[in-house]
Amino acid sequence: EVQLVESGGGLVQPGRSLRLSCTASGFSFGDYTLMWVRQAPGKGLEWVGLIRSKAYGGTTEYAASVKGRFTISRDDSKSLAYLQMNSLKSEDTAVYYCTAGSGSFDCWGQGTLVTVSS
Amino acid sequence: SYELTQPPSVSVSPGQTARITCSGDALPKKYAYWYQQRSGQAPVLVIYEDNKRPSGIPERFSGSSSGTMATLTISGAQVEDDADYYCYSSDSSDTHAAFGGGTKLTVL
């Protein structure tokens, strides 16, 4: 079964760090760009950033709202991707999704909730 | 950053045609993708590369793009199409991507 599963969410205080993981199965993870998307409660989807496949240099891009605080990485040997989130703010509270795809192939995880609050 | 603009809401009666637009400066050069999101669920791709439909998506869903505007059309909308719809694309240099603000489609 083609699947992405996020983990690592939870309650964290402002200014602290959290690392989310995204585990892939059922497809050739290393062939695809991996993207993180978040959705604040009652709000729309927000693009967070992406990491390209090794074939396209494995480079990363970030939204202005998280650049310098968030880092995306991947370990293709384990079919894993990570979102390291530092200096968290209350406005980072959201469900975080990882997604991979190209053309008609498109896979999303179920999301993991991150709540930033004291 | 890059921005895509959608109308906040569209409302149609069952069987009517719903059109949802998405405007962005780079759309003449970049593909638009459309996602459907039902409450509490992850988004589902309904149109990719402007006008292609993934397998399993009903034929009533179609897409088009002209200039700086992409359009999702649902011909003969059904009650089950009642959901939020988001367009997605990237800027011309592929350094930033964005989702539109989302359109709440009401089929009632």
Side-chain angles (χ1 to χ4, degrees), chain A:
Chain A
E1 180 187 5
V2 173
Q3 200 173 11
L4 288 171
V5 178
E6 304 92 342
S7 59
L11 175 63
V12 61
Q13 293 179 329
R16 304 297 291 265
S17 298
L18 199 64
R19 188 179 80 161
L20 305 183
S21 299
C22 172
T23 304
S25 59
F27 66 99
S28 184
F29 177 75
D31 290 344
Y32 295 94
T33 290
L34 191 286
M35 192 162 65
W36 287 94
V37 177
R38 68 184 181 184
Q39 188 167 33
K43 303 296 185 182
L45 301 174
E46 180 185 7
W47 177 75
V48 172
L50 60 82
I51 184 165
R52 298 180 176 89
S53 66
K54 292 288 193 295
Y56 288 90
T59 52
T60 54
E61 310 289 354
Y62 298 96
S65 58
V66 306
K67 192 168 185 178
R69 298 189 298 124
F70 289 13
T71 302
I72 300 172
S73 59
R74 65 190 299 161
D75 183 343
D76 292 343
S77 68
K78 298 180 180 177
S79 295
L80 272 168
Y82 302 99
L83 178 64
Q84 176 68 43
M85 303 185 292
N86 298 332
S87 303
L88 282 161
K89 307 175 182 179
S90 58
E91 51 262 43
D92 295 320
T93 294
V95 173
Y96 284 73
Y97 296 98
C98 60
T99 174
S102 178
S104 64
F105 175 73
D106 189 72
C107 184
W108 289 64
Q110 83 289 350
T112 187
L113 176 63
V114 173
T115 303
V116 184
S117 175
S118 54

